[in-house]
């Protein structure tokens, strides 16, 4: 069953990577809103959508966050992180910068001595936009996705949705055309961040996918040399995936890949 967020705020839940995490969903609570359609997406496949989803307004997000943080303060349960992930890509929200500013305000208001960190988990497609880069720079932790070392694997795994339209955002390029731009945007990203990569193997629509071995893993390492990410987080499948023939890597395999990256001089960590 897909892991779908039915409210703006979820949790706090325990996260493998962030500790106690209060989730914020900037997408619709009725459908996934993403310009990717990853084969492993825990929200399931994109729906046949209208292009006019009802996204929460900045005021609605601020109100929901205010209520949730006030309750947690009463219970003396400060979350470690306020985390933007949800039913899609958070940076697609038309008021993303205002939402981040409101979140920082709410965190300081309710936990002035030790506010929860603000984390954004992003697919990185919008980091070519200066206003998004500026908003992300205000956050404590930014995780940017890169799952593939070649345009072909990128198209297979992340399935950039050519024709996607939302507010002023539209995807005009194919995945193969966009991939070099994504790599260059990551290489040029001017603030601290962690590159997050989900490693797995399997098959989808008759095509074999394996980003953790062979030529694809070598190509990924070459892209890392170009990008020079400040930190790398490798992780494996955790929940049910929409593509059914995907195989989770063992903890030992993930750790071995992280060790390989550390031997190349990267700050890499594996999460199981
Ligand atoms: S980027 Fe995230 S939300 Fe979008 S399809 Fe991929 S896993 Fe799902």
């Amino acid at each position: 069953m897909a892991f779908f967020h039915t409210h703006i705020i979820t949790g706090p839940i325990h996260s493998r990577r962030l500790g106690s995490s209060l989730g914020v969903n900037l997408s619709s609570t009725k459908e996934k809103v993403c310009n990717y359609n990853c084969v492993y997406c825990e929200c399931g496949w994109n729906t046949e959508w209208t292009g006019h989803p009802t996204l929460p307004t900045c005021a609605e997000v601020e109100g929901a966050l205010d209520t949730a943080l006030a309750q947690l303060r009463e219970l003396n349960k400060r979350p470690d992180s306020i985390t933007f992930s949800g039913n899609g890509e958070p940076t697609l929200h038309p008021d993303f910068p205002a939402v981040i500013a409101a979140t920082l305000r709410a965190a300081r208001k309710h936990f002035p001595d030790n506010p929860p960190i603000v984390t954004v988990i992003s697919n990185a497609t919008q980091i070519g936009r200066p206003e998004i880069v500026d908003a992300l720079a205000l956050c404590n932790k930014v995780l940017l996705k890169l799952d593939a070392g070649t345009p072909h694997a990128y198209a297979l795994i992340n399935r950039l949705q050519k024709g996607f339209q939302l507010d002023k955002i539209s995807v005009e390029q194919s995945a193969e055309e966009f991939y070099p731009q994504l790599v260059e945007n990551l290489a040029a990203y001017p603030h601290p961040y962690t590159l997050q990569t989900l490693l797995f193997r399997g098959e989808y629509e008759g095509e074999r996918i394996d980003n953790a071995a062979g030529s694809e893993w070598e190509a990924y390492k070459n892209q890392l040399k170009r990008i020079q990410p400040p930190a790398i987080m490798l992780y494996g499948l955790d929940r049910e995936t929409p593509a059914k023939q995907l195989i989770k890597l063992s903890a030992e395999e993930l750790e071995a890949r992280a060790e390989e990256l550390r031997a190349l001089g990267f700050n890499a960590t594996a999460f199981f």
Side-chain angles (χ1 to χ4, degrees), residues 196-216:
Q196 55 156 354
T197 301
L198 195 150
L199 295 178
F200 66 100
R201 56 179 59 100
E203 196 180 305
Y204 180 64
E205 288 186 337
E207 288 247 36
R208 184 164 165 66
I209 307 173
D210 188 347
N211 62 355
S215 59
E216 182 53 36

Side-chain angles (χ1 to χ4, degrees), residues 83-268:
T83 307
F84 289 85
S85 54
N87 301 330
E89 170 53 34
T91 63
L92 295 173
H93 191 285
D95 289 325
F96 181 73
V99 169
I100 292 299
T103 303
L104 291 165
R105 272 198 307 275
R108 286 191 210 107
K109 173 181 162 188
H110 292 287
F111 298 94
D113 297 332
N114 189 14
I117 67 166
V118 175
T119 303
V120 179
I121 301 177
S122 168
N123 67 16
T125 55
Q126 302 305 303
I127 61 169
R129 295 166 57 204
E131 69 274 25
I132 299 299
V133 173
D134 290 348
L136 290 175
L138 300 173
C139 302
N140 305 88
K141 194 174 261 202
V142 174
L143 306 181
L144 300 176
K145 182 190 295 294
L146 182 74
D147 293 329
T150 61
H152 181 67
Y154 172 67
L156 275 177
I157 295 171
N158 301 116
R159 312 176 70 76
L160 180 73
Q161 299 291 282
K162 187 174 180 179
F164 176 94
Q165 289 206 313
L166 179 68
D167 198 49
K168 295 173 195 141
I169 296 164
S170 64
V171 177
E172 312 287 350
Q173 295 161 292
S174 67
E176 287 82 355
E177 288 164 343
F178 183 69
Y179 180 79
Q181 192 180 320
L182 174 67
V183 169
E184 288 315 307
N185 287 346
L186 286 165
Y189 189 77
H191 305 294
Y193 74 99
T194 298
L195 191 80
Q196 55 156 354
T197 301
L198 195 150
L199 295 178
F200 66 100
R201 56 179 59 100
E203 196 180 305
Y204 180 64
E205 288 186 337
E207 288 247 36
R208 184 164 165 66
I209 307 173
D210 188 347
N211 62 355
S215 59
E216 182 53 36
W217 175 244
E218 292 305 315
Y220 169 78
K221 288 191 291 184
N222 281 333
Q223 299 294 10
L224 294 184
K225 289 174 191 162
R226 166 80 189 104
I227 295 168
Q228 291 294 324
I232 302 167
M233 184 183 277
L234 302 181
Y235 64 113
L237 297 171
D238 192 33
R239 296 199 173 102
E240 189 180 331
T241 56
K244 295 301 169 208
Q245 292 174 292
L246 306 187
I247 299 165
K248 178 178 180 158
L249 262 63
S250 67
E252 291 72 26
E253 277 184 285
L254 277 175
E255 184 50 39
R257 299 300 179 275
E259 183 54 42
E260 218 180 303
L261 298 185
R262 288 194 288 272
L264 291 172
F266 294 109
N267 172 16

